[in-house]
Amino acid sequence: MLDYPDVESRLQLIRMMRRAAPVASAVLVVEGVADQRALFPFLASDVTVLPVGGKNHVLDIFESLRQQNFPGVLCLVDCDGDIASRLKGQEGLILSVRRDMDADLLVELEAYERVILESVADKVASPGEGRRVARQIVELAEEVATTFGMVLRAAQKRKLPVKLLDLEMTVKRRVELRDVDLLVDWLSGSSAIPSVDVASRMGTVLHWPEDRIEYVIRDLEQLEDVECKKHFDISCRDCRGRAHANGHSLIEGICIALRAQYKVQMDRKDLERRVRLAVDPLALSRWEVWRRMSFWQASFKYSLLAGLSARMESNEE
Ligand SMILES: [Zn+2]
């Protein structure tokens, strides 16, 4: 990850990259290395990917580039509800469809089905049953990751800690699903856990003061009372999942559920890798991020996407 103190130094670096890059290849500015990993397989060989360490940095760079009319640079950010609506649909700035790029790969690109199907193949009677298992596991992981994400959102609004001391690592890390026993039970097949119970258990795990837990629960209830903008539905699972379930939790949830329910041993990193390799090309062409990237590439003639730029080059011949 590049660590530069201010926007101007980052822009300086982008200018240098721009000059060093082959004339018509794009520079892609992303939040972090996870995005870089997620997008790499789909990019043309000569694209420069620049992870800048967070959404605010990407947005600062985007604003400055726009003011300076700087060509050939495309910015990408996670769509996690903090994005001002004026930024949506801007040329040169693309938002993930779900909570982040990893969640997009997993759900929007339907990569989960192949990976889960393969890992449970010897535990089910038919491919049909395997597909049902895959859907059921992903729906469960999404439901759990959504509740977890909503509690974290409420906690962060109250400026409560979301990190804990990892006993093995002796460093502080962000809380994960596996740290909350109720969530592990839920993923293991017990009945759904009310979000209020999840919030209070997370409060205990993260040492939130008792009265703060009450605030979090109140905020959470407000969050759950919001009607989705797309379907005007107060209990829309689809929109809630898009907004709150991030890729990291989804992957972790799938691993826990597969282990508990089907005795499949697969760690998060392994699943992540497999998901990236299993993306369905048909689903890729329907993915909003991909569609906007191809549109950008076609409009500005900078090579960006793997398959498409090969076609562009052959057209030019
Ligand atoms: Zn909805």
Side-chain angles (χ1 to χ4, degrees), residues 251-263:
I251 298 231
E252 200 200 350
I254 292 172
C255 285
I256 296 174
L258 278 176
R259 192 163 49 236
Q261 297 187 31
Y262 294 91
K263 311 259 177 296

Side-chain angles (χ1 to χ4, degrees), residues 227-233 235-240:
E227 196 175 63
C228 81
K229 288 192 185 111
K230 203 170 168 189
H231 314 98
F232 307 104
D233 179 357
S235 52
C236 182
R237 274 175 51 172
D238 190 35
C239 290
R240 203 169 276 175

